Amino acid sequence: MTPVRPSLRVEKKLLGSGRVTVIGMDEVGRGAIAGPVAVGVAAVTIDIGRVPQGLADSKLLSAARRTELEPVVRRWARTAVGMATAVVVDQQGIVPALGQAGAAALGALVDDGLCLDDAVVVLDGSFDWLSRAVPTALVPSARPLDVVVRVKADRDCASVAAASVVAKVERDALMVAAHEGAPHYGWASNKGYGSTAHYDGIRSVGAHALHRKSWLHQASSVALDGFDELAVTG
């Protein structure tokens, strides 16, 4: 089966209905056991150019291809990435963390001069975790920011695919940089996800400050027998 190539069909339909800006949004790192959750945004307007060649959901691209595409995507659309730390995930839960990261990404666009009036967010997935987290100060108009949820939007909406690429590249770079100071977890290869080598590192030297501690305790019965005795390092 030929994979679906992301297009601007959905975005152009929304722009044709009177929207001034369409903002694709996608998360990266939701299922990791270490590191932040990242949310990327890519804003497009009616004058947006052709979709960059080879653009796809970041999960369908090699690391090398994502790295090649990232600067192209940033020239093509107005992009930003927001993050919420592992501490936020532990203390507030993954859904509020996603909302905070998404709001931070939108805030970065606003700081760069984008007005959210008459904008709409196309959010990948089936659940709106964003709306409650957006500060009213970000939207000058009286009405809340519109959010459209769309399953597999990262595969068929170019703006959402672009958002996934910039978020993935930025979060991966952060985890690779963190690997240098904590090589026992293998973050350069697993990027904070629960690989065998990652769990072996936790068993060996304990948890790190970047770990989502509540998630490790939930996983302990399966992968981390004796985790309660592991010290936190870093």
Side-chain angles (χ1 to χ4, degrees):
M1 180 181 296
T2 303
V4 176
R5 293 183 179 179
S7 72
L8 290 167
R9 180 180 58 84
V10 171
E11 290 89 340
K12 287 184 175 180
K13 183 176 180 180
L14 289 167
L15 291 167
S17 71
R19 300 298 182 186
V20 172
T21 309
V22 177
I23 303 171
M25 179 176 286
D26 198 14
E27 56 80 16
V28 172
R30 182 172 188 158
I33 61 172
V37 63
V39 172
V41 289
V44 301
T45 53
I46 196 66
D47 59 348
I48 190 68
R50 294 178 60 183
V51 176
Q53 186 174 4
L55 178 63
D57 170 20
S58 63
K59 295 185 293 294
L60 303 178
L61 299 170
S62 68
R65 185 58 181 141
R66 288 193 298 266
T67 301
E68 291 173 356
L69 272 172
E70 190 255 359
V72 177
V73 164
R74 288 192 180 274
R75 290 192 296 269
W76 176 70
R78 299 179 74 168
T79 64
V81 178
M83 296 195 187
T85 66
V87 173
V88 172
V89 175
D90 277 336
Q91 294 181 348
Q92 301 184 35
I94 188 63
V95 171
L98 286 167
Q100 287 188 32
L106 291 175
L109 289 180
V110 171
D111 289 344
D112 193 43
L114 182 70
C115 180
L116 296 183
D117 277 351
D118 296 316
V120 57
V121 174
V122 179
L123 179 61
D124 179 57
S126 59
F127 174 69
D128 177 9
W129 40 257
L130 175 68
S131 292
R132 290 185 179 182
V134 177
T136 54
L138 280 183
V139 188
S141 65
R143 68 178 187 179
L145 179 68
D146 281 345
V147 177
V148 174
V149 294
R150 184 178 176 87
V151 175
K152 295 186 178 178
D154 51 1
R155 300 202 178 194
D156 58 19
C157 296
S159 64
V160 183
S164 76
V165 168
V166 296
K168 177 66 172 168
V169 170
E170 191 160 321
R171 185 185 183 278
D172 281 1
L174 185 153
M175 296 309 297
V176 169
H179 173 93
E180 295 183 11
H184 10 271
Y185 305 113
W187 288 336
S189 59
N190 62 54
K191 310 303 189 296
Y193 287 86
S195 69
T196 299
H198 192 167
Y199 283 121
D200 286 345
I202 299 171
R203 288 194 194 92
S204 175
V205 301
H208 188 275
L210 283 176
H211 279 111
R212 302 173 187 178
K213 309 303 186 300
S214 59
W215 291 38
L216 294 182
H217 282 283
Q218 292 168 14
S220 62
S221 61
V222 177
L224 289 173
D225 291 339
F227 172 75
D228 288 340
E229 288 73 42
L230 293 176
V232 176
T233 64

